[in-house]
Amino acid sequence: MMKVGITGGIGSGKSTVCRLFAARGVAVYDSDTEARRLMQEDAGLRARIADRFGAEAYRRDGTLDRKYLAGRVFGDPAALSALNGLVHPAVIADFEAWAARQTGDYVVLESAILFEAGLERHVDRTVAVLAPLELRVERTCRRDGCTPEEVRRRIAAQLDDDTLCARADCTIVNIRESELAPAVEELDRRFRYEAHMPRA
Ligand code: ATP
């Protein structure tokens, strides 16, 4: 099964692009949503998180205490890296198992941290969704009700567009919504074609 990773900074339009792929019948794995699910449901991962961060990471009723965990990793790069080191392998294993169950020409993996988390090594093609900075700030503020400063701070912590462009196999520029569906259609056609080509 060919695998396509889709990434992009906050408010670039990754999820919007992925919805368009899904509308064309492509199975999409949202790594953020699945990571949250696995932290809740995967017994092995739960045990490793509780072992590293303390039993308080889970409440008495078994639900993950996100606030506690966020407090433990905030401003502590070593703790954040330890948490990522537990969660990322679980997501990769789950994605691989999920992809093996799909039947289409190819699947899509959506991740805001495709390159940072090393997920690119688990996909055959990478797509970066790009949009002008101010548009991303405006869209994110409108969607999340946050301040432009908050969004800019989060953008500053992510890979910049030059790096994304250099590392991704292809890009989608998301400015006008009307241009997005044709761009996705073109890539979808290309990926379906490439999925049937013999591998080098
Ligand atoms: P995040 O990393 O924060 O999850 P994202 O890259 O997945 O963001 P989206 O959620 O797809 O981005 O888009 C951000 C917001 O901008 C959404 O509210 C979406 O509806 C809107 N949006 C995306 N693309 C366009 C567009 N071309 N025109 C107008 N609005 C758009």
Side-chain angles (χ1 to χ4, degrees):
M1 172 67 71
M2 190 169 99
K3 304 181 189 90
V4 175
I6 297 187
T7 192
I10 179 170
S12 59
K14 290 176 297 296
S15 302
T16 307
V17 164
C18 286
R19 269 196 295 278
L20 289 170
F21 274 99
R24 301 185 63 80
V26 181
V28 176
Y29 184 95
D30 175 357
S31 55
D32 198 34
T33 303
E34 299 304 330
R36 284 163 189 262
R37 179 182 62 78
L38 290 166
M39 287 167 86
Q40 192 58 57
E41 293 176 5
D42 183 316
L45 180 58
R46 287 175 66 103
R48 287 188 286 277
I49 289 173
D51 195 41
R52 171 65 176 75
F53 294 97
E56 307 96 295
Y58 291 90
R59 298 191 192 89
R60 273 173 188 279
D61 66 1
T63 55
L64 180 70
D65 190 338
R66 294 195 167 277
K67 228 173 173 176
Y68 168 81
L69 210 50
R72 288 293 305 271
V73 301
F74 185 76
D76 184 346
L80 180 61
S81 155
L83 181 62
N84 287 339
L86 299 177
V87 176
H88 293 168
V91 172
I92 290 165
D94 187 65
F95 167 65
E96 299 278 9
W98 171 89
R101 294 194 299 270
Q102 306 307 310
T103 53
D105 290 326
Y106 69 97
V107 296
V108 159
L109 167 72
E110 176 185 350
S111 172
I113 51 168
L114 188 78
F115 296 112
E116 296 94 320
L119 287 165
E120 83 202 277
R121 292 193 296 276
H122 299 269
V123 294
D124 306 288
R125 303 282 185 279
T126 53
V127 179
V129 182
L130 307 170
L133 199 74
E134 285 315 306
L135 211 46
R136 290 167 56 194
V137 171
E138 187 191 309
R139 285 172 185 164
T140 308
C141 290
R142 200 179 315 134
R143 185 194 59 190
D144 298 346
C146 50
T147 66
E149 291 67 36
E150 272 168 1
V151 183
R152 289 205 185 89
R153 254 200 311 277
R154 283 155 72 187
I155 287 175
Q158 297 184 321
L159 291 182
D160 60 39
D161 280 5
D162 284 346
T163 308
L164 287 179
C165 270
R167 293 186 70 170
D169 298 316
C170 39
T171 55
I172 290 186
V173 177
N174 175 22
I175 298 177
R176 285 197 203 102
E177 201 142 22
S178 59
E179 292 167 356
L180 213 49
V184 168
E185 183 181 349
E186 193 181 324
L187 276 184
D188 179 43
R189 239 184 283 149
R190 172 178 151 189
F191 292 144
R192 284 184 199 277
Y193 173 75
E194 291 178 353
H196 294 289
M197 285 192 331
R199 298 282 165 90

